[in-house]
Amino acid sequence: LPDMRSLFPLILLASLAAGKHHGHDAEDKLLSVQVVIRHADRAATQGWATDKSERILFRGNGELTDLLVPLLTCNDGWDDVVKMHNLSTSENAKDAALIKMLRTQWDAPECSKVPPALVDAIIAELSQKEVKMPDHYKACAKGHAKKFMFSYIELLAGAGDHFNPLRIKRVAGMLTNELIGKMQKAAACPPPCNTQPKFRVYYTHDVTVLAVAHIFKALHHYEGVTPAFSSAIVFETRMNATGPYVKVFLKNGQDAEFKESGFSKEYSTLEAVKTV
C-alpha cells in the first residue's frame, strides 16, 4: 500500500498553490480540490536488473492495482497500433507493439549494452537505493529508456502522438466523468456547502495520469518523462465574479514542485471544461 503520509505534503502544496495565486482576490473562492495521483512505485512486469532485485522487491513482478485500472485487454481500438507496427492482429496488441518498438527503437548509444527486455526493470529499479545497478544501466535508465517508455505509455493511454479516442476513453473516461461531475456539484452547491466533500484523491497508474493530462491539455508539462511515483494532477474548482472555473496544477515525481498548467481562459470556465 502507498504511504499515506505522502498525501499530507500533497495537500499542503495544493493549498499553498491556491493561496499563492488567489489569496489577494476577495471575490475568488476555492470550492473544491481533486487530486489524481500515481499511487505507488512498482516493480517491472517482468525481469530484474540485478540478481538481488527480486529479494529487495519481494512482492514480485507486476503493478499494484486500484479501483481505476486502465482497461487495456480489449482487442478493438488498436487499429492505429496494428498499422503503425505492421502487426498481424489486434490481439495482445500492447505486448506485440512493445516487442516491435524494442526491435526498432532501442539503438541509443547509452543503451547499447543493456538487454532491451530490461527496459521496464531498469527504470522501475532506478529509484531503489538498495539496488546497485551497473553504471551503464543507470545511464540508459536516465536517458533513452525513459523517453522510450514515455512513448510506450502514451501508446497504451491513447494519448499524445499515439492519440486514439477509444483507448483514451477506456483508460480515463470514467475518471474524467467523475472529476467533471464533482466540479459541477461543487459549483452548484450553495454556500457554505456542507453537503459536498472539499477534497478528493484518486489513486491511479502512470497510464491513467498521462491520459488525464492529455484530456485536460497538460500533457506537454511531463516533457517526455513518464509520471513517476507520487506524480499528481490537481484540479481546483473555483468561483469568481464571472462564474465557476477550473485551475490545474501538476508535478512529476515525489520531490517535484507543483506547477500551474497554464490552462487558458478559453478552456478554464467550467462550461468549457465540461466539453473536454
Side-chain angles (χ1 to χ4, degrees), residues 99-151:
I99 293 172
K100 281 293 185 76
M101 289 172 67
L102 287 170
R103 289 175 179 171
T104 59
Q105 301 176 27
W106 195 252
D107 55 357
E110 67 267 31
C111 296
S112 61
K113 296 182 179 180
V114 179
L118 291 183
V119 57
D120 197 17
I122 62 174
I123 293 174
E125 297 177 30
L126 182 63
S127 61
Q128 300 292 329
K129 295 180 180 179
E130 296 84 358
V131 175
K132 307 299 181 183
M133 289 195 298
D135 288 342
H136 62 285
Y137 277 26
K138 294 179 182 178
C140 178
K142 293 177 181 178
H144 179 69
K146 279 200 171 184
K147 296 177 182 178
F148 175 92
M149 189 54 69
F150 182 85
S151 179

Short mmCIF file of all heavy atoms in Angstrom, two decimals, residues 99-151:
data_model
loop_
_atom_site.label_atom_id
_atom_site.label_comp_id
_atom_site.label_asym_id
_atom_site.label_seq_id
_atom_site.Cartn_x
_atom_site.Cartn_y
_atom_site.Cartn_z
N ILE A 99 7.24 -5.27 -28.28
CA ILE A 99 8.29 -6.08 -28.88
C ILE A 99 8.82 -5.42 -30.15
O ILE A 99 10.04 -5.33 -30.38
CB ILE A 99 7.77 -7.50 -29.18
CG1 ILE A 99 7.46 -8.23 -27.87
CG2 ILE A 99 8.79 -8.29 -30.00
CD1 ILE A 99 6.77 -9.56 -28.05
N LYS A 100 7.90 -4.92 -31.00
CA LYS A 100 8.31 -4.25 -32.23
C LYS A 100 9.10 -2.98 -31.93
O LYS A 100 10.11 -2.68 -32.59
CB LYS A 100 7.09 -3.92 -33.08
CG LYS A 100 6.52 -5.10 -33.87
CD LYS A 100 7.50 -5.54 -34.94
CE LYS A 100 6.91 -6.64 -35.84
NZ LYS A 100 5.93 -6.14 -36.80
N MET A 101 8.66 -2.22 -30.93
CA MET A 101 9.35 -0.99 -30.57
C MET A 101 10.75 -1.28 -30.06
O MET A 101 11.71 -0.55 -30.35
CB MET A 101 8.54 -0.22 -29.52
CG MET A 101 7.26 0.39 -30.06
SD MET A 101 6.20 1.09 -28.76
CE MET A 101 7.21 2.47 -28.19
N LEU A 102 10.90 -2.34 -29.29
CA LEU A 102 12.22 -2.71 -28.76
C LEU A 102 13.17 -3.11 -29.90
O LEU A 102 14.37 -2.88 -29.82
CB LEU A 102 12.08 -3.85 -27.75
CG LEU A 102 11.49 -3.46 -26.39
CD1 LEU A 102 11.18 -4.69 -25.56
CD2 LEU A 102 12.43 -2.53 -25.63
N ARG A 103 12.61 -3.70 -30.92
CA ARG A 103 13.45 -4.13 -32.05
C ARG A 103 13.89 -2.96 -32.93
O ARG A 103 14.96 -3.00 -33.53
CB ARG A 103 12.67 -5.13 -32.91
CG ARG A 103 12.48 -6.49 -32.26
CD ARG A 103 11.60 -7.37 -33.13
NE ARG A 103 11.40 -8.70 -32.54
CZ ARG A 103 10.54 -9.60 -33.01
NH1 ARG A 103 9.80 -9.32 -34.08
NH2 ARG A 103 10.42 -10.77 -32.42
N THR A 104 13.06 -1.92 -32.99
CA THR A 104 13.33 -0.83 -33.94
C THR A 104 13.78 0.47 -33.29
O THR A 104 14.31 1.34 -33.98
CB THR A 104 12.07 -0.55 -34.78
OG1 THR A 104 10.99 -0.18 -33.90
CG2 THR A 104 11.66 -1.78 -35.58
N GLN A 105 13.56 0.65 -31.98
CA GLN A 105 13.84 1.93 -31.34
C GLN A 105 14.83 1.82 -30.18
O GLN A 105 14.91 2.71 -29.35
CB GLN A 105 12.53 2.55 -30.84
CG GLN A 105 11.52 2.79 -31.95
CD GLN A 105 10.19 3.32 -31.43
OE1 GLN A 105 10.11 3.96 -30.38
NE2 GLN A 105 9.12 3.04 -32.17
N TRP A 106 15.56 0.73 -30.11
CA TRP A 106 16.48 0.52 -28.99
C TRP A 106 17.92 0.65 -29.50
O TRP A 106 18.73 -0.25 -29.40
CB TRP A 106 16.25 -0.85 -28.36
CG TRP A 106 16.88 -1.01 -27.01
CD1 TRP A 106 17.97 -1.76 -26.68
CD2 TRP A 106 16.45 -0.40 -25.79
NE1 TRP A 106 18.25 -1.66 -25.35
CE2 TRP A 106 17.33 -0.82 -24.77
CE3 TRP A 106 15.41 0.47 -25.47
CZ2 TRP A 106 17.20 -0.41 -23.45
CZ3 TRP A 106 15.28 0.89 -24.16
CH2 TRP A 106 16.16 0.45 -23.16
N ASP A 107 18.23 1.81 -30.09
CA ASP A 107 19.53 1.96 -30.74
C ASP A 107 20.35 3.12 -30.18
O ASP A 107 21.34 3.53 -30.79
CB ASP A 107 19.32 2.18 -32.24
CG ASP A 107 18.39 3.34 -32.55
OD1 ASP A 107 17.86 3.93 -31.60
OD2 ASP A 107 18.19 3.65 -33.74
N ALA A 108 19.98 3.65 -29.01
CA ALA A 108 20.74 4.75 -28.42
C ALA A 108 22.06 4.23 -27.87
O ALA A 108 22.12 3.14 -27.29
CB ALA A 108 19.93 5.41 -27.31
N PRO A 109 23.16 5.00 -28.02
CA PRO A 109 24.48 4.54 -27.54
C PRO A 109 24.51 4.16 -26.07
O PRO A 109 25.14 3.16 -25.70
CB PRO A 109 25.38 5.76 -27.81
CG PRO A 109 24.71 6.48 -28.93
CD PRO A 109 23.24 6.30 -28.70
N GLU A 110 23.83 4.93 -25.22
CA GLU A 110 23.90 4.65 -23.78
C GLU A 110 23.17 3.37 -23.40
O GLU A 110 23.30 2.89 -22.27
CB GLU A 110 23.34 5.82 -22.96
CG GLU A 110 21.85 6.08 -23.10
CD GLU A 110 21.51 7.10 -24.15
OE1 GLU A 110 22.25 7.19 -25.14
OE2 GLU A 110 20.51 7.81 -23.97
N CYS A 111 22.39 2.82 -24.33
CA CYS A 111 21.65 1.60 -24.04
C CYS A 111 22.16 0.39 -24.84
O CYS A 111 21.55 -0.68 -24.81
CB CYS A 111 20.16 1.79 -24.34
SG CYS A 111 19.35 3.03 -23.30
N SER A 112 23.28 0.56 -25.52
CA SER A 112 23.78 -0.49 -26.41
C SER A 112 24.15 -1.77 -25.67
O SER A 112 24.11 -2.86 -26.24
CB SER A 112 24.99 0.01 -27.20
OG SER A 112 26.05 0.37 -26.32
N LYS A 113 24.51 -1.64 -24.38
CA LYS A 113 24.91 -2.81 -23.61
C LYS A 113 23.83 -3.28 -22.63
O LYS A 113 24.08 -4.10 -21.76
CB LYS A 113 26.20 -2.51 -22.83
CG LYS A 113 27.40 -2.22 -23.72
CD LYS A 113 28.65 -1.97 -22.89
CE LYS A 113 29.85 -1.70 -23.79
NZ LYS A 113 31.08 -1.45 -22.98
N VAL A 114 22.64 -2.74 -22.80
CA VAL A 114 21.51 -3.11 -21.93
C VAL A 114 20.54 -3.98 -22.72
O VAL A 114 20.06 -3.54 -23.78
CB VAL A 114 20.78 -1.87 -21.39
CG1 VAL A 114 19.60 -2.28 -20.50
CG2 VAL A 114 21.72 -0.97 -20.62
N PRO A 115 20.22 -5.18 -22.25
CA PRO A 115 19.23 -6.01 -22.95
C PRO A 115 17.90 -5.28 -23.05
O PRO A 115 17.38 -4.79 -22.05
CB PRO A 115 19.13 -7.25 -22.06
CG PRO A 115 20.41 -7.29 -21.29
CD PRO A 115 20.78 -5.86 -21.07
N PRO A 116 17.31 -5.18 -24.24
CA PRO A 116 16.04 -4.45 -24.40
C PRO A 116 14.94 -4.95 -23.47
O PRO A 116 14.10 -4.16 -23.03
CB PRO A 116 15.68 -4.71 -25.87
CG PRO A 116 16.98 -4.95 -26.53
CD PRO A 116 17.82 -5.67 -25.52
N ALA A 117 14.96 -6.24 -23.15
CA ALA A 117 13.90 -6.79 -22.29
C ALA A 117 13.93 -6.22 -20.88
O ALA A 117 12.96 -6.36 -20.12
CB ALA A 117 14.02 -8.31 -22.23
N LEU A 118 15.03 -5.53 -20.52
CA LEU A 118 15.16 -4.99 -19.16
C LEU A 118 14.76 -3.51 -19.07
O LEU A 118 14.96 -2.90 -18.02
CB LEU A 118 16.59 -5.16 -18.65
CG LEU A 118 17.05 -6.59 -18.36
CD1 LEU A 118 18.47 -6.57 -17.78
CD2 LEU A 118 16.10 -7.28 -17.38
N VAL A 119 14.22 -2.94 -20.13
CA VAL A 119 13.90 -1.51 -20.11
C VAL A 119 12.97 -1.17 -18.94
O VAL A 119 13.18 -0.18 -18.22
CB VAL A 119 13.29 -1.06 -21.45
CG1 VAL A 119 12.05 -1.87 -21.82
CG2 VAL A 119 12.95 0.42 -21.42
N ASP A 120 11.94 -1.95 -18.73
CA ASP A 120 11.00 -1.69 -17.64
C ASP A 120 11.67 -1.85 -16.29
O ASP A 120 11.47 -1.06 -15.36
CB ASP A 120 9.80 -2.63 -17.76
CG ASP A 120 8.61 -2.17 -16.93
OD1 ASP A 120 8.58 -0.99 -16.54
OD2 ASP A 120 7.70 -2.98 -16.70
N ALA A 121 12.53 -2.88 -16.18
CA ALA A 121 13.18 -3.18 -14.90
C ALA A 121 14.16 -2.08 -14.48
O ALA A 121 14.17 -1.65 -13.33
CB ALA A 121 13.90 -4.52 -14.98
N ILE A 122 14.97 -1.60 -15.42
CA ILE A 122 15.99 -0.61 -15.03
C ILE A 122 15.35 0.73 -14.65
O ILE A 122 15.84 1.44 -13.77
CB ILE A 122 17.06 -0.42 -16.12
CG1 ILE A 122 16.44 0.12 -17.41
CG2 ILE A 122 17.81 -1.72 -16.37
CD1 ILE A 122 17.47 0.47 -18.48
N ILE A 123 14.23 1.06 -15.30
CA ILE A 123 13.53 2.30 -14.94
C ILE A 123 12.86 2.14 -13.58
O ILE A 123 12.95 3.02 -12.71
CB ILE A 123 12.48 2.66 -16.01
CG1 ILE A 123 13.18 3.04 -17.31
CG2 ILE A 123 11.60 3.81 -15.54
CD1 ILE A 123 12.24 3.28 -18.47
N ALA A 124 12.19 1.01 -13.37
CA ALA A 124 11.47 0.77 -12.12
C ALA A 124 12.42 0.71 -10.93
O ALA A 124 12.08 1.14 -9.82
CB ALA A 124 10.66 -0.52 -12.21
N GLU A 125 13.64 0.18 -11.14
CA GLU A 125 14.57 -0.03 -10.03
C GLU A 125 15.57 1.11 -9.86
O GLU A 125 16.35 1.11 -8.91
CB GLU A 125 15.31 -1.35 -10.23
CG GLU A 125 14.38 -2.56 -10.21
CD GLU A 125 15.08 -3.87 -10.49
OE1 GLU A 125 16.28 -3.97 -10.14
OE2 GLU A 125 14.46 -4.79 -11.04
N LEU A 126 15.54 2.10 -10.74
CA LEU A 126 16.49 3.21 -10.66
C LEU A 126 16.38 3.97 -9.35
O LEU A 126 17.38 4.40 -8.77
CB LEU A 126 16.27 4.16 -11.84
CG LEU A 126 17.21 5.37 -11.92
CD1 LEU A 126 18.66 4.91 -12.12
CD2 LEU A 126 16.79 6.29 -13.07
N SER A 127 15.16 4.11 -8.85
CA SER A 127 14.94 4.88 -7.61
C SER A 127 15.17 4.06 -6.35
O SER A 127 15.12 4.61 -5.24
CB SER A 127 13.52 5.45 -7.60
OG SER A 127 12.56 4.39 -7.63
N GLN A 128 15.42 2.76 -6.49
CA GLN A 128 15.63 1.89 -5.33
C GLN A 128 17.10 1.96 -4.90
O GLN A 128 17.98 1.42 -5.58
CB GLN A 128 15.24 0.46 -5.66
CG GLN A 128 13.79 0.27 -6.07
CD GLN A 128 12.83 0.52 -4.92
OE1 GLN A 128 13.16 0.28 -3.76
NE2 GLN A 128 11.64 0.98 -5.24
N LYS A 129 17.38 2.62 -3.80
CA LYS A 129 18.76 2.80 -3.36
C LYS A 129 19.45 1.48 -3.04
O LYS A 129 20.67 1.36 -3.14
CB LYS A 129 18.81 3.73 -2.14
CG LYS A 129 18.33 5.14 -2.43
CD LYS A 129 18.39 6.01 -1.20
CE LYS A 129 17.90 7.43 -1.51
NZ LYS A 129 17.92 8.30 -0.32
N GLU A 130 18.67 0.49 -2.62
CA GLU A 130 19.27 -0.79 -2.25
C GLU A 130 19.71 -1.59 -3.48
O GLU A 130 20.54 -2.49 -3.37
CB GLU A 130 18.28 -1.63 -1.44
CG GLU A 130 17.90 -1.03 -0.09
CD GLU A 130 16.77 -0.02 -0.21
OE1 GLU A 130 16.32 0.24 -1.36
OE2 GLU A 130 16.35 0.53 0.82
N VAL A 131 19.16 -1.27 -4.63
CA VAL A 131 19.53 -1.97 -5.86
C VAL A 131 20.74 -1.27 -6.49
O VAL A 131 20.67 -0.10 -6.85
CB VAL A 131 18.36 -1.99 -6.87
CG1 VAL A 131 18.80 -2.63 -8.18
CG2 VAL A 131 17.17 -2.75 -6.29
N LYS A 132 21.83 -1.97 -6.58
CA LYS A 132 23.07 -1.40 -7.12
C LYS A 132 23.24 -1.82 -8.59
O LYS A 132 23.88 -2.82 -8.90
CB LYS A 132 24.28 -1.88 -6.29
CG LYS A 132 24.14 -1.63 -4.79
CD LYS A 132 23.99 -0.15 -4.46
CE LYS A 132 23.89 0.07 -2.95
NZ LYS A 132 23.67 1.50 -2.62
N MET A 133 22.65 -1.06 -9.46
CA MET A 133 22.73 -1.37 -10.89
C MET A 133 24.08 -0.92 -11.45
O MET A 133 24.67 0.06 -10.97
CB MET A 133 21.60 -0.69 -11.66
CG MET A 133 20.23 -1.26 -11.41
SD MET A 133 19.01 -0.70 -12.65
CE MET A 133 18.99 1.07 -12.39
N PRO A 134 24.57 -1.57 -12.51
CA PRO A 134 25.77 -1.09 -13.20
C PRO A 134 25.56 0.32 -13.74
O PRO A 134 24.44 0.72 -14.03
CB PRO A 134 25.93 -2.11 -14.35
CG PRO A 134 25.18 -3.31 -13.91
CD PRO A 134 24.03 -2.81 -13.08
N ASP A 135 26.65 1.05 -13.87
CA ASP A 135 26.57 2.45 -14.31
C ASP A 135 25.92 2.58 -15.68
O ASP A 135 25.17 3.53 -15.94
CB ASP A 135 27.97 3.08 -14.34
CG ASP A 135 28.52 3.33 -12.94
OD1 ASP A 135 27.71 3.35 -11.99
OD2 ASP A 135 29.74 3.51 -12.82
N HIS A 136 26.19 1.63 -16.59
CA HIS A 136 25.60 1.76 -17.93
C HIS A 136 24.10 1.47 -17.90
O HIS A 136 23.35 1.99 -18.73
CB HIS A 136 26.31 0.85 -18.94
CG HIS A 136 26.23 -0.61 -18.66
ND1 HIS A 136 26.96 -1.22 -17.66
CD2 HIS A 136 25.49 -1.60 -19.24
CE1 HIS A 136 26.70 -2.52 -17.65
NE2 HIS A 136 25.81 -2.77 -18.60
N TYR A 137 23.62 0.70 -16.92
CA TYR A 137 22.19 0.53 -16.73
C TYR A 137 21.57 1.85 -16.28
O TYR A 137 20.52 2.26 -16.76
CB TYR A 137 21.90 -0.55 -15.68
CG TYR A 137 21.93 -1.97 -16.18
CD1 TYR A 137 22.69 -2.34 -17.29
CD2 TYR A 137 21.20 -2.97 -15.55
CE1 TYR A 137 22.72 -3.64 -17.74
CE2 TYR A 137 21.21 -4.28 -15.99
CZ TYR A 137 21.98 -4.61 -17.08
OH TYR A 137 22.00 -5.90 -17.53
N LYS A 138 22.25 2.52 -15.34
CA LYS A 138 21.73 3.79 -14.81
C LYS A 138 21.68 4.85 -15.91
O LYS A 138 20.71 5.60 -16.02
CB LYS A 138 22.61 4.27 -13.66
CG LYS A 138 22.57 3.40 -12.42
CD LYS A 138 23.50 3.96 -11.35
CE LYS A 138 23.51 3.08 -10.12
NZ LYS A 138 24.44 3.59 -9.08
N ALA A 139 22.74 4.91 -16.72
CA ALA A 139 22.79 5.91 -17.79
C ALA A 139 21.65 5.69 -18.78
O ALA A 139 21.01 6.64 -19.24
CB ALA A 139 24.14 5.85 -18.50
N CYS A 140 21.40 4.44 -19.10
CA CYS A 140 20.31 4.12 -20.02
C CYS A 140 18.96 4.48 -19.41
O CYS A 140 18.10 5.07 -20.06
CB CYS A 140 20.37 2.64 -20.37
SG CYS A 140 19.04 2.08 -21.46
N ALA A 141 18.79 4.12 -18.13
CA ALA A 141 17.51 4.36 -17.44
C ALA A 141 17.20 5.85 -17.33
O ALA A 141 16.04 6.26 -17.41
CB ALA A 141 17.53 3.72 -16.06
N LYS A 142 18.24 6.67 -17.17
CA LYS A 142 18.03 8.11 -17.03
C LYS A 142 17.85 8.80 -18.38
O LYS A 142 17.34 9.92 -18.44
CB LYS A 142 19.23 8.74 -16.30
CG LYS A 142 19.36 8.33 -14.85
CD LYS A 142 20.61 8.93 -14.24
CE LYS A 142 20.78 8.52 -12.79
NZ LYS A 142 22.03 9.07 -12.20
N GLY A 143 18.29 8.15 -19.45
CA GLY A 143 18.25 8.79 -20.76
C GLY A 143 17.24 8.17 -21.71
O GLY A 143 16.03 8.35 -21.55
N HIS A 144 17.74 7.42 -22.67
CA HIS A 144 16.89 6.91 -23.75
C HIS A 144 15.75 6.03 -23.24
O HIS A 144 14.64 6.07 -23.79
CB HIS A 144 17.74 6.11 -24.74
CG HIS A 144 16.96 5.52 -25.87
ND1 HIS A 144 16.37 6.29 -26.86
CD2 HIS A 144 16.63 4.22 -26.16
CE1 HIS A 144 15.74 5.50 -27.71
NE2 HIS A 144 15.87 4.26 -27.32
N ALA A 145 16.01 5.23 -22.22
CA ALA A 145 14.97 4.31 -21.73
C ALA A 145 13.74 5.06 -21.25
O ALA A 145 12.61 4.62 -21.48
CB ALA A 145 15.53 3.44 -20.60
N LYS A 146 13.95 6.21 -20.60
CA LYS A 146 12.80 6.99 -20.13
C LYS A 146 11.99 7.54 -21.29
O LYS A 146 10.76 7.55 -21.26
CB LYS A 146 13.27 8.12 -19.21
CG LYS A 146 13.55 7.67 -17.78
CD LYS A 146 13.54 8.83 -16.83
CE LYS A 146 13.60 8.32 -15.38
NZ LYS A 146 13.50 9.44 -14.41
N LYS A 147 12.68 8.03 -22.33
CA LYS A 147 11.97 8.54 -23.50
C LYS A 147 11.22 7.41 -24.21
O LYS A 147 10.09 7.59 -24.66
CB LYS A 147 12.97 9.20 -24.46
CG LYS A 147 13.66 10.42 -23.89
CD LYS A 147 14.68 10.98 -24.87
CE LYS A 147 15.41 12.18 -24.28
NZ LYS A 147 16.44 12.71 -25.20
N PHE A 148 11.88 6.25 -24.30
CA PHE A 148 11.26 5.10 -24.93
C PHE A 148 10.00 4.70 -24.18
O PHE A 148 8.94 4.47 -24.78
CB PHE A 148 12.26 3.93 -24.95
CG PHE A 148 11.68 2.65 -25.48
CD1 PHE A 148 11.81 2.34 -26.83
CD2 PHE A 148 11.03 1.76 -24.66
CE1 PHE A 148 11.27 1.16 -27.33
CE2 PHE A 148 10.49 0.58 -25.15
CZ PHE A 148 10.61 0.28 -26.49
N MET A 149 10.10 4.62 -22.85
CA MET A 149 8.96 4.18 -22.05
C MET A 149 7.83 5.19 -22.10
O MET A 149 6.65 4.82 -22.09
CB MET A 149 9.39 3.92 -20.61
CG MET A 149 8.32 3.25 -19.75
SD MET A 149 7.67 1.71 -20.47
CE MET A 149 9.10 0.63 -20.30
N PHE A 150 8.15 6.49 -22.16
CA PHE A 150 7.12 7.50 -22.27
C PHE A 150 6.31 7.29 -23.54
O PHE A 150 5.08 7.38 -23.53
CB PHE A 150 7.73 8.90 -22.27
CG PHE A 150 6.72 10.02 -22.32
CD1 PHE A 150 6.14 10.49 -21.16
CD2 PHE A 150 6.36 10.60 -23.53
CE1 PHE A 150 5.20 11.52 -21.20
CE2 PHE A 150 5.42 11.62 -23.58
CZ PHE A 150 4.84 12.08 -22.40
N SER A 151 7.00 7.02 -24.64
CA SER A 151 6.31 6.78 -25.91
C SER A 151 5.39 5.57 -25.80
O SER A 151 4.26 5.59 -26.32
CB SER A 151 7.33 6.57 -27.03
OG SER A 151 6.69 6.32 -28.27
#
